[in-house]
């Protein structure tokens, strides 16, 4: 320690000490009337100076040592792995973190056509065939017995079915107003190839659905003609032509002309059947079989939406759609919304898996179509080309990559989300696009079992904790848990 050494040297005032030698001659030289620099007070000042110096140096050493230790600790908590502390540990302690102790099983598809045997009910072996890998999609014939199919249809009829889609929905207009976009901005968004003209398919890609009404290229031409929007009649809209169209011109035109059921996105009736304690045994059995099939934790299946039973009459259809939307950081899941205590304009149902049951065999049409299953790429824009809209299940089911023919008792199931690679829900699988083709003869009955999982593990865990607390409280009062508390989102549908 050179600092200490210097201090010791300077402090050694013994007359015989060699270290004091350099001071001696100076004192001698300065002897006489100005010899006060060698006085006792001079010595005291020098001593005080050196002591302060030593204390400063020690304090500095302590500071350097202490602060580098802290840096090491924060560096190790930033590291994705290997650190002792998890990154979450820097969040405020008021929000307790749940340790990730669950990993979601994902069934392997192996390859298209691969068949695996599964045991779902005692004394019976089912065969599960891989139909596609994008999305990961399986078919299980005989999943439900004929009796079970009959009971589900009867229970649905007893409960009563309602129209799946109301005639007018006006959510889109509000969103456009909220975003406050100018006609130029909207025009630019729509003009995909940026040629300064709006082709029909450019309009349809962004707004195939107008107030719940499905637009076809012919509809759009009719609307242009009715509104005299396309002045030069070249089938394209220039910015000037587009500007002249008021925001609600489309809506007013469509409503004035009247809308047929076949022009809606979805033309069916449906109801919801609760599958918890006290429900019909067939409904509880189906839920348990779905749990065995998907190999997911039973609590996740228990807390999912009830069974949706759908009836399509002749002419019924459901244009291609996703059962659940993409998840951005600001998106809330409908089922965990209560526990999330955040308000966000974006919400989706977070249906990780869809299990679709065919309750009858249909006389004509009614297939479930997957327009882009196992496509090499997914490109939203190329879904409409040369007036052919692949999402239109009234016209273009024959052009879908995959169609499943309804067969009584068969179940198909697929994952609407990819894996995050760490055993939890990842991004939306765009290839999971599907729809119900038009029923050409007879009636079609299906049921949907959706398994809701929040891609945000913490939100899912908080939700489950909240529900289990509620159910404990209710059990204490001798009541059973009410579905509306379990799943507030389905309130409107029940
Ligand atoms: C649905 C659905 C397909 C079909 O109900 O969400 O996509 O074949 N149904 O009925
Ligand atoms: Ca264009
Ligand atoms: Fe669907």
């Amino acid at each position: 320690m050179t600092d200490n050494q210097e201090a010791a040297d300077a402090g050694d005032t013994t007359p015989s000490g060699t270290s004091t030698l350099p001071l001696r001659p100076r004192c001698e030289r300065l002897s006489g009337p100005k010899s006060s620099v060698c006085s006792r007070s001079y010595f005291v000042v020098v001593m005080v100076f050196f002591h302060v110096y030593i204390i400063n140096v020690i304090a500095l050493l302590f500071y350097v040592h202490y602060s580098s230790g802290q840096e090491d600790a924060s560096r190790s908590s930033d590291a994705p792995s290997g650190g002792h502390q998890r990154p979450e540990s820097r969040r405020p302690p008021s929000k307790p973190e749940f340790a990730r102790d669950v990993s979601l099983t994902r069934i392997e598809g192996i390859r298209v056509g691969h068949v695996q045997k599964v045991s779902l009910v005692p004394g019976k072996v089912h065969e599960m065939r891989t139909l596609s890998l994008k999305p990961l999609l399986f078919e299980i014939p005989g999943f439900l017995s004929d009796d079970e199919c009959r009971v589900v249809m009867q229970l649905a009829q007893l409960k009563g079915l309602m129209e799946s889609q109301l005639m007018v929905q006006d959510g889109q207009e509000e969103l456009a107003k909220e975003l406050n976009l100018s006609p130029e901005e909207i025009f630019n968004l729509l003009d995909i190839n940026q040629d300064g003209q709006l082709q029909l398919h450019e309009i349809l890609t962004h707004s195939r659905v107008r107030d719940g009404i499905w637009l076809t290229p012919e509809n759009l031409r009719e609307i242009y003609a009715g509104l005299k929007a396309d002045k030069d009649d070249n089938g394209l809209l220039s910015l000037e032509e587009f500007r002249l169209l008021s925001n609600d011109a489309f809506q007013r035109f469509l409503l004035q002309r009247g809308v047929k059921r076949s022009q809606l996105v979805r033309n069916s009736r449906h109801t919801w059947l609760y599958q918890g304690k006290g429900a019909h045994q067939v409904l509880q059995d189906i839920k348990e079989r779905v749990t065995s099939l998907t190999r997911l934790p039973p609590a996740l299946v228990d807390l999912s939406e009830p069974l949706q039973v759908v009836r399509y009459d002749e002419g019924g259809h459901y244009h291609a759609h996703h059962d659940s939307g993409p998840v951005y950081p600001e998106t809330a899941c409908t089922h965990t919304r209560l526990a999330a205590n955040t308000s966000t304009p974006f919400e989706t149902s977070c249906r990780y898996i869809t299990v679709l049951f065919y309750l009858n065999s249909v006389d004509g049409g009614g297939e479930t179509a997957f327009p882009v299953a196992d496509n090499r790429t997914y490109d939203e824009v190329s879904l409409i080309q040369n007036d052919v809209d692949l999402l239109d299940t009234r016209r273009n089911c024959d052009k879908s990559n995959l169609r499943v023919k309804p067969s009584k008792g068969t179940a198909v199931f697929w994952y609407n989300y990819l894996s995050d690679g760490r055993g939890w829900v990842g991004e939306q699988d765009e290839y999971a696009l599907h729809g119900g083709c038009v029923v050409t003869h007879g009636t079609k009955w299906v049921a949907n079992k959706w398994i809701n999982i929040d891609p945000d593990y913490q939100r899912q865990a908080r939700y489950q904790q909240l529900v289990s607390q509620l159910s404990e409280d209710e059990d204490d009062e001798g009541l059973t848990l009410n579905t509306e508390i379990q799943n507030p989102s389905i309130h409107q549908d029940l």
Side-chain angles (χ1 to χ4, degrees):
M1 289 289 263
T2 45
D3 286 348
N4 285 348
Q5 193 64 54
E6 273 175 48
D9 289 349
D12 186 355
T13 54
T14 48
S16 61
T18 50
S19 64
T20 54
L21 277 176
L23 288 172
R24 282 278 172 213
R26 241 188 284 158
C27 285
E28 278 161 14
R29 254 187 275 130
L30 294 168
S31 59
K34 291 185 181 172
S35 67
S36 60
V37 285
C38 287
S39 69
R40 178 178 284 267
S41 60
Y42 176 74
F43 173 72
V44 169
V45 169
V46 168
M47 283 304 291
V48 167
F49 171 78
F50 277 112
H51 276 91
V52 169
Y53 179 73
I54 290 164
I55 290 166
N56 274 339
V57 167
I58 291 170
L60 187 72
L61 285 172
F62 265 109
Y63 174 76
V64 168
H65 175 77
Y66 186 68
S67 62
S68 71
Q70 265 189 337
E71 249 173 53
D72 284 351
S74 66
R75 225 178 288 134
S76 70
S77 76
D78 279 343
S81 61
H84 298 298
Q85 286 164 289
R86 300 189 310 141
E88 291 91 339
S89 62
R90 276 178 295 162
R91 287 192 194 168
S94 56
K95 234 184 197 177
E97 295 284 323
F98 293 89
R100 256 265 295 272
D101 51 2
V102 204
S103 184
L104 306 175
T105 308
R106 224 175 140 86
I107 300 194
E108 283 191 58
I110 316 290
R111 66 190 132 71
V112 173
H114 177 77
V115 176
Q116 38 195 313
K117 296 211 183 322
V118 284
S119 104
L120 305 167
V121 279
K124 191 168 176 189
V125 174
H126 286 92
E127 290 196 335
M128 177 164 76
R129 178 185 298 272
T130 305
L131 296 186
S132 72
L133 298 175
K134 293 194 301 182
L136 191 49
L137 167 67
F138 302 92
E139 179 185 51
I140 309 103
F143 187 90
L144 300 180
S145 68
D146 286 3
D147 274 350
E148 286 172 328
C149 290
R150 180 181 47 78
V151 168
V152 173
M153 289 187 286
Q154 283 173 343
L155 289 172
Q157 264 167 324
L158 203 65
K159 178 144 186 194
L161 295 110
M162 60 197 167
E163 295 293 344
S164 297
Q165 195 192 325
L166 301 173
M167 287 297 203
V168 178
Q169 295 169 346
D170 51 10
Q172 287 199 332
E173 293 293 324
E174 273 166 31
L175 198 64
K177 261 183 230 149
E178 229 172 81
L179 289 170
N180 204 14
L181 297 174
S182 68
E184 287 78 11
E185 284 168 319
I186 300 175
F187 188 92
N188 270 320
L189 281 174
L190 297 177
D191 186 10
I192 299 164
N193 63 1
Q194 293 287 301
D195 66 350
Q197 305 274 351
L198 292 185
Q199 283 79 7
L200 290 176
H201 72 87
E202 288 177 326
I203 300 218
L204 292 177
T205 297
H206 287 275
S207 52
R208 260 189 205 88
V209 184
R210 208 59 210 193
D211 305 307
I213 302 164
W214 188 264
L215 295 180
T216 63
E218 289 78 55
N219 290 153
L220 213 50
R221 286 198 192 91
E222 257 178 75
I223 295 173
Y224 286 0
L227 295 173
K228 298 190 175 56
D230 182 15
K231 298 267 188 289
D232 50 13
D233 204 24
N234 64 352
L236 307 169
L237 286 191
S238 64
L239 177 58
E240 287 63 45
E241 289 168 333
F242 183 76
R243 255 208 214 100
L244 294 174
L245 278 175
S246 68
N247 210 12
D248 60 351
F250 274 52
Q251 185 187 3
R252 275 188 286 120
F253 180 84
L254 288 166
L255 293 179
Q256 266 169 22
R257 217 187 36 166
V259 182
K260 293 191 239 67
R261 300 206 52 74
S262 60
Q263 286 178 285
L264 298 177
V265 175
R266 186 177 186 189
N267 177 11
S268 63
R269 301 169 139 263
H270 73 257
T271 193
W272 298 92
L273 299 177
Y274 170 70
Q275 294 181 282
K277 266 187 234 159
H280 193 290
Q281 194 55 45
V282 164
L283 297 171
Q284 295 196 47
D285 290 349
I286 294 174
K287 188 185 69 181
E288 266 149 40
R289 212 171 299 155
V290 165
T291 308
S292 318
L293 173 72
T294 57
R295 299 175 210 164
L296 290 175
L300 283 174
V301 183
D302 285 345
L303 292 176
S304 290
E305 288 166 85
L307 187 72
Q308 187 191 54
V309 184
V310 189
R311 176 193 156 118
Y312 300 86
D313 289 329
E314 207 161 285
H317 73 276
Y318 192 171
H319 288 308
H321 60 277
H322 287 283
D323 283 351
S324 192
V327 179
Y328 307 111
E330 59 279 5
T331 308
C333 292
T334 311
H335 75 291
T336 54
R337 207 173 177 142
L338 238 197
N341 76 48
T342 49
S343 67
T344 154
F346 303 105
E347 186 177 313
T348 190
S349 38
C350 300
R351 292 162 170 166
Y352 180 55
I353 288 182
T354 300
V355 187
L356 177 75
F357 312 95
Y358 297 106
L359 302 176
N360 72 337
S361 301
V362 182
D363 294 339
E367 302 91 338
T368 306
F370 293 82
V372 292
D374 280 334
N375 237 32
R376 209 159 49 80
T377 54
Y378 177 86
D379 173 18
E380 197 196 5
V381 174
S382 64
L383 291 171
I384 304 186
Q385 264 170 359
N386 309 323
D387 277 12
V388 176
D389 182 355
L390 283 179
L391 302 197
D392 188 326
T393 56
R394 296 190 73 82
R395 298 174 167 194
N396 299 320
C397 266
D398 57 333
K399 297 174 193 72
S400 270
N401 284 358
L402 180 70
R403 279 180 307 283
V404 182
K405 191 174 152 44
S407 173
K408 189 179 192 169
T410 293
V412 284
F413 87 97
W414 66 88
Y415 294 81
N416 293 304
Y417 292 85
L418 303 170
S419 162
D420 71 346
R422 291 175 292 141
W424 200 250
V425 182
E427 280 179 26
Q428 185 196 25
D429 188 350
E430 290 167 319
Y431 295 90
L433 194 65
H434 64 280
C437 306
V438 66
V439 176
T440 52
H441 290 103
T443 305
K444 170 185 170 188
W445 283 89
V446 294
N448 284 302
K449 181 67 189 166
W450 285 298
I451 299 171
N452 310 97
I453 308 181
D454 196 321
D456 179 331
Y457 178 79
Q458 295 300 321
R459 284 197 314 216
Q460 179 69 35
R462 272 199 293 280
Y463 164 65
Q464 285 184 225
Q465 192 190 45
L466 185 80
V467 173
S468 68
Q469 275 166 5
L470 281 173
S471 95
E472 268 171 34
D473 294 350
E474 297 224 339
D475 281 350
D476 289 347
E477 291 165 32
L479 296 166
T480 49
L481 185 61
N482 166 334
T483 339
E484 276 176 41
I485 296 170
Q486 276 192 38
N487 198 329
S489 69
I490 48 141
H491 179 85
Q492 66 208 38
D493 289 314
L494 277 173

